[in-house]
């Protein structure tokens, strides 16, 4: 099947389609977003990214593209920044001709229901946009453990119009079948697409026309009412900055030891690092004890060459993490 996208039938063509990308921490939302932005589809998207924590990193993890990225990092999109989302969407509508659609990437701790509510609760937003689909990215390797620990992960799957079962190369066929059965027990309606590193057909995630308000109301009669929701109280974030270039070997030794010892509590670690002697920015990401990283191109003009690292997890010791990160600086 071709990746070519066509306008969805039976949808008002004057309304801007909005795709919400959700999924628990480390499932691969940003990887999928990058895949969408770099694919050959002839479309232009406005991107809204929401982060959990006071220090923005995800904006730098999104590929350099023509798309404009709007970042909100002063809280969960489903709580304190819903007003920001409405403001950004209304601002985008004033420049309607410059993009074909909007993609919202939520924080991994977000319940997608209040995000979707925004497109029905605010009159101006409802008059100019349509919620095309909620796409939930699922980590095939870690999802069963995550579901035991996090109500948000259950809500993300239950609310999906489309599920992207990512990291399928990290599990065997029996495990994959077991995971699919678990997902089906939570959401029997949404199609499941297998993926490695977010590589799926664009037609599987964009222009779906998949958000069915009637089905949601059957399962969640109170959907259009104001949410009464809270996050896991023991999950928080620690954001750190080191302005001196880092010694790559020191950082590798420190982060490896840290994740080995505390990885069970580290839901997500991500950062943009400035290694001494390296002209490019280095993007570091980890889920529990599994870490990965790569160069993502040179520093932008006027950008501060500093290292930023964000931890999201439980039992985080900020002074200890700060001392460890600062010890990686070049002497």
């Amino acid at each position: 099947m071709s990746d070519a996208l066509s306008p969805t039938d039976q949808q008002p063509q004057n309304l801007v389609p909005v795709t919400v990308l959700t999924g628990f921490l480390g499932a691969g939302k940003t990887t999928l977003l990058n895949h969408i932005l770099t694919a050959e589809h002839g479309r232009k998207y406005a991107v809204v990214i929401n982060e959990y924590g006071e220090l923005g990193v995800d904006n730098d993890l999104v590929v350099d593209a023509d798309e404009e990225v709007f970042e909100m990092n002063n809280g969960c999109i489903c709580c304190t920044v819903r007003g920001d989302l409405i403001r950004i969407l209304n601002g985008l509508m004033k420049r309607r001709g410059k993009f074909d659609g909007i993609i919202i990437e939520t924080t991994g701790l977000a319940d997608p229901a209040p995000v979707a509510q925004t497109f029905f609760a605010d009159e101006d937003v409802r008059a100019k946009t349509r919620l095309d689909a909620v796409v939930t990215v699922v980590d095939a390797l870690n999802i069963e453990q995550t579901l035991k620990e996090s109500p948000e992960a259950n809500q993300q799957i239950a609310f999906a119009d489309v599920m992207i079962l990512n990291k399928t190369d990290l599990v065997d066929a029996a495990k994959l079948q077991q995971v699919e059965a678990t997902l089906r027990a939570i959401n029997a309606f949404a199609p499941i697409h297998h993926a490695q590193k977010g590589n799926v057909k664009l037609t599987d995630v964009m222009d779906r026309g998949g958000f069915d308000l009637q089905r949601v109301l059957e399962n969640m009669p109170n959907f259009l009412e104001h949410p009464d929701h809270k996050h896991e109280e023991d999950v928080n974030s620690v954001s750190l900055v080191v302005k001196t270039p880092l010694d790559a070997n020191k950082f590798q030794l420190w982060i490896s030891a840290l994740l080995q010892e505390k990885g069970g509590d580290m839901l997500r670690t991500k950062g943009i690092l400035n290694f001494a002697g390296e002209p490019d920015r280095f993007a570091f990401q980890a889920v529990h004890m599994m870490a990965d990283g790569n160069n993502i191109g040179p520093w932008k003009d006027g950008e501060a060459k500093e290292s930023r690292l964000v931890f999201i997890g439980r039992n985080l010791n900020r002074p200890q993490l700060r001392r460890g990160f600062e010890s990686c600086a070049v002497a």
Side-chain angles (χ1 to χ4, degrees), residues 18-238:
V18 179
T19 301
V20 176
L21 294 184
T22 186
F24 203 69
L25 298 159
K29 295 184 298 299
T30 302
T31 304
L32 174 61
L33 175 59
N34 284 338
H35 172 62
I36 294 169
L37 296 183
T38 56
E40 294 291 331
H41 47 59
R43 296 287 185 87
K44 190 171 174 66
Y45 293 102
V47 180
V48 180
I49 292 177
N50 176 227
E51 297 200 58
Y52 183 78
E54 69 271 24
L55 182 65
V57 167
D58 280 352
N59 191 15
D60 290 313
L61 296 177
V62 176
V63 293
D64 288 328
D66 291 336
E67 283 73 10
E68 293 188 70
V69 177
F70 298 86
E71 187 177 25
M72 299 182 291
N73 62 350
N74 57 330
C76 173
I77 204 169
C78 51
C79 302
T80 59
V81 298
R82 188 158 156 192
D84 275 0
L85 176 59
I86 291 171
R87 178 180 53 77
I88 286 176
L89 290 171
N90 283 326
L92 283 171
M93 290 306 101
K94 296 173 183 173
R95 303 148 68 187
R96 171 67 186 90
K98 295 190 175 181
F99 53 88
D100 302 294
I102 299 170
I103 302 172
I104 299 173
E105 182 192 352
T106 71
T107 165
L109 293 172
D111 173 359
V115 182
Q117 283 176 323
T118 303
F119 296 91
F120 299 93
D122 185 85
E123 189 173 336
D124 288 339
V125 171
R126 188 173 67 242
K128 295 169 184 172
T129 66
R130 62 175 172 85
L131 182 57
D132 184 65
V134 175
V135 178
T136 300
V137 185
V138 178
D139 179 342
L141 181 65
N142 294 301
I143 186 59
E144 290 182 305
Q145 183 62 35
T146 300
L147 286 170
K148 293 174 186 174
E149 299 174 351
S150 169
E152 281 90 359
N154 285 271
Q155 290 155 352
Q156 290 163 358
I157 291 167
F159 212 76
D161 299 304
V162 179
M163 284 185 272
I164 305 301
L165 186 52
N166 201 28
K167 307 185 185 180
T168 55
D169 52 323
L170 302 181
V171 298
D172 59 26
K175 170 77 169 176
L176 207 53
Q177 193 172 7
Q178 181 181 318
V179 168
E180 284 209 16
T182 300
L183 299 180
R184 281 277 162 258
I186 301 171
N187 184 335
F189 301 98
I192 299 174
H193 301 291
H194 291 188
Q196 298 175 16
K197 297 189 175 178
N199 197 346
V200 295
K201 292 177 182 158
L202 294 182
T203 47
D204 290 340
V205 291
M206 307 301 290
D207 280 345
R208 298 290 305 171
F211 185 82
D212 186 341
L213 179 60
Q214 191 57 45
R215 176 177 73 79
V216 171
L217 288 172
E218 287 172 7
N219 293 318
M220 300 174 60
N222 300 325
F223 167 67
L224 293 177
E225 297 175 10
H226 194 276
D228 176 20
H229 113 111
K230 62 181 186 296
H231 296 293
E232 297 174 84
E233 293 180 0
D234 60 342
V235 174
N236 59 8
S237 74
V238 171

Side-chain angles (χ1 to χ4, degrees), residues 56-65 271-275 277-284 293-301 303-308:
V57 167
D58 280 352
N59 191 15
D60 290 313
L61 296 177
V62 176
V63 293
D64 288 328
I272 304 296
L273 308 177
N274 176 26
F275 286 136
E278 293 292 332
D280 292 340
R281 297 172 294 165
F282 187 87
F284 176 83
N294 60 286
N295 291 325
I296 57 169
W299 296 87
K300 298 169 186 173
D301 289 342
E303 183 179 10
K305 289 187 178 181
E306 59 188 22
S307 297
R308 289 170 284 147

